[in-house]
Amino acid sequence: MVTNNAPRHIGVIGAGVIGVCTALALQRDGHRVTIVDRLPPGEGTSKGNAAIIAAAACEPVALPGILKKVPGMLMDPLGPLAIRWQYLPQIAPWLLKFVAASRPDRVEKLSIALRALSLQSLSSYKTLLKEAGLSDMLRELGWLSIYRTEKSFRSADDELALQRRRGVKMEILKRHELRQFEPTLAPDFEYGVLFPENAQVVNNFRLVQELARFFVQRGGRILQAEVTGFAMGPQGPTHIRTRDGEHAIDGVVVAGGAWSKPLTRMLGHSVPLDTERGYHVMLPDPGVMPRLPVHIADYGFVATPLEHGLRLAGTVELGGVKAPPNYARADILLTRGRTVFPGLRDGGRTNWMGHRPSVPDSVPVISGGRHPNCFFAYGHGHLGLTYGAITGRLIADLVAGRETGLDMAPYRVDRRW
Ligand SMILES: Cc1cc2nc3c(=O)[nH]c(=O)nc-3n(C[C@H](O)[C@H](O)[C@H](O)COP(=O)(O)OP(=O)(O)OC[C@H]3O[C@@H](n4cnc5c(N)ncnc54)[C@H](O)[C@@H]3O)c2cc1C
């Protein structure tokens, strides 16, 4: 491996949690860094997630048996999965790859790749937040998955077994223990699983904004502009093209979340990136507040206590990046939330929809590319906040030509999809 620590001017496309963490890691290595985004920092998908640093995460979304479960989920109008049928022809190739990724032997390998990132997710944030003076944004109380019935708990057997094989710590709580542990919950939940490794931030949007401010304080530049392409030289891109003009760079990192596919294609790679749209409902005065994040496994969403209220976030809608939000999906979160937290109040409620950048095998792209000065950091799906700091660190290592300490093959942009 050839190391190259010479300071360069690196353009990072995307000011979401991935782009900002990557820009900070590059800056720490002495590079001059410019972030380019059409939106202000954190205004993309990173604005409204469930704020969880899921250090225990290791399971891809497509698990064995997914194909059997999907029709039931789609038939249920309050279910966790929806599809915009007019989008089906466009997403069909992605869905085929998604189903292929659910084969047990592949899931085993994918979970190893995810766990390798997860194990460093929290420690990487601790380093970053300490440096930025933001350590008080982190809460380390774990998270609680809850199951309404014995049947729904048993249906998670294979997933929990996979997590145990990857060394994930967990503690099973039965109904009476659950009530003592989290008294805000409705009394009819049969089981809970506490994952002590997981953490949260108290405000995921403010986190990205504060990190971006820190980046600027340390001399970084943020340019608000739409990237339309690149000017190419013999070694790769020499300029980032925006609607307002061309900007000279020595290297580029594509961290454009769900919108990264066309930029990647311009740099010589084809990636099956699509989006799993998700929703949240923010309740500033909820009346009940769990003391730690609660994942309601039966309904596929998370309730997270934040510094400005309670957030119910989750669900998956396959519908691409262009279709307008369908806030009936957010109403479902509130309807379900009321059955979990009796007495939940919705005064001052706001809704939000965001685009998870999703690849079919759930393993993010963290990779160099065909040109020696191009790097890719996207496709983090349900785990983009979790993997923000570690992704930044890994991309900085790749740019410097340093050993990352991980086998990077599973994250490559040109892997077999
Ligand atoms: C409901 C929901 C709940 C979630 N909960 C969690 C959670 O609890 N924990 C967790 O780890 N993850 C969670 N996620 C996932 C997480 O939010 C995403 O994976 C993460 O935000 C992706 O970050 P990003 O920086 O890649 O993308 P983004 O935040 O979307 O940033 C990408 C940026 O690139 C810019 N961009 C793209 N193309 C261009 C262009 N051509 N020109 C200029 N700018 C461009 C966009 O404007 C955007 O600002 C959740 C997601 C949803 C939807």
Side-chain angles (χ1 to χ4, degrees), residues 217-267:
Q217 259 170 30
R218 288 205 314 194
R221 182 166 170 240
I222 300 181
L223 196 69
Q224 198 173 330
E226 169 93 24
V227 176
T228 53
F230 304 93
M232 302 298 286
Q235 297 297 316
T238 57
H239 293 74
I240 291 177
R241 278 199 181 121
T242 70
R243 295 205 186 285
D244 316 322
E246 290 196 345
H247 305 273
I249 39 95
D250 303 313
V252 66
V253 182
V254 177
W259 300 269
S260 300
K261 192 172 172 167
L263 299 171
T264 304
R265 201 178 298 120
M266 290 174 208
L267 297 172

Side-chain angles (χ1 to χ4, degrees), residues 16 42-49 204 257-259 352-357 381:
E43 292 276 359
T45 312
S46 302
K47 184 171 188 171
N49 59 49
N204 52 290
W259 300 269
W352 173 88
M353 189 269 283
H355 299 92
R356 296 184 190 90

Side-chain angles (χ1 to χ4, degrees), residues 305-390:
L306 297 175
E307 64 184 5
H308 51 309
L310 181 65
R311 175 170 295 165
L312 310 179
T315 82
V316 168
E317 183 188 41
L318 302 177
V321 289
K322 292 197 181 124
N326 168 13
Y327 286 121
R329 303 284 307 153
D331 295 342
I332 294 171
L333 293 170
L334 188 60
T335 307
R336 293 297 203 189
R338 287 207 159 104
T339 72
V340 179
F341 300 102
L344 197 63
R345 292 199 297 251
D346 67 348
R349 158 194 172 176
T350 51
N351 296 328
W352 173 88
M353 189 269 283
H355 299 92
R356 296 184 190 90
S358 300
V359 286
D361 64 10
S362 305
V363 173
V365 174
I366 306 171
S367 174
R370 155 170 311 174
H371 304 294
N373 65 345
C374 290
F375 301 86
F376 303 92
Y378 57 80
H380 296 72
H382 294 241
L383 293 169
L385 171 64
T386 302
Y387 294 154
I390 178 64

